[in-house]
Amino acid sequence: MATYRNLDKTPRIFFLPGDQIFPWIIISAVSYFFVRKVFGFSWVWVITISGWGIGTWWVLTWKGMHYFFGRLVSSPHWVRAIVEYKSVLNHGQSRSQKSRRSRWQKG
């Protein structure tokens, strides 16, 4: 059984999770552009904002995106009910035609 010990592990680049690298690069680039180029702040602010964004992303996607974001979507409440079928195509029929037809089908 030791042959497949790495089968269920996630990919890593050194100590960093492999699926987090590209979002971190995007977060760092966006924070660099806005903080350094648009607002003209120093590198300390770029690193701080980038670290905050990376940390937030890591916390939100720690066990997978579905772990956090799945809580925001409520599960459907299924109820079994017996309801009379109402056809959309025969919606314009008068009430008397419906009652005549249902009496004819019963007898």
Side-chain angles (χ1 to χ4, degrees):
M1 300 309 155
T3 307
Y4 300 111
R5 101 181 86 175
N6 291 329
L7 190 60
D8 289 333
K9 292 187 178 179
T10 58
R12 295 187 161 280
I13 299 173
F14 298 111
F15 61 91
L16 302 173
D19 59 343
Q20 298 284 329
I21 297 297
F22 289 116
W24 290 358
I25 291 172
I26 293 170
I27 290 169
S28 298
V30 168
S31 64
Y32 169 77
F33 176 75
F34 278 110
V35 175
R36 184 79 173 154
K37 295 295 184 182
V38 174
F39 296 119
F41 291 139
S42 67
W43 280 101
V44 174
W45 284 104
V46 172
I47 294 170
T48 303
I49 298 297
S50 178
W52 173 75
I54 288 170
T56 303
W57 181 257
W58 198 352
V59 167
L60 291 179
T61 60
W62 173 42
K63 291 185 181 179
M65 286 185 143
H66 61 85
Y67 185 76
F68 177 79
F69 292 110
R71 289 190 236 168
L72 301 176
V73 178
S74 62
S75 58
H77 180 68
W78 296 98
V79 177
R80 187 173 183 183
I82 300 173
V83 180
E84 180 185 349
Y85 175 73
K86 296 179 183 175
S87 175
V88 179
L89 299 176
N90 298 331
H91 185 67
Q93 288 183 347
S94 65
R95 186 75 177 153
S96 61
Q97 288 177 343
K98 287 182 183 177
S99 62
R100 272 189 272 146
R101 185 178 50 187
S102 62
R103 271 189 259 138
W104 179 261
Q105 289 175 349
K106 288 180 187 176

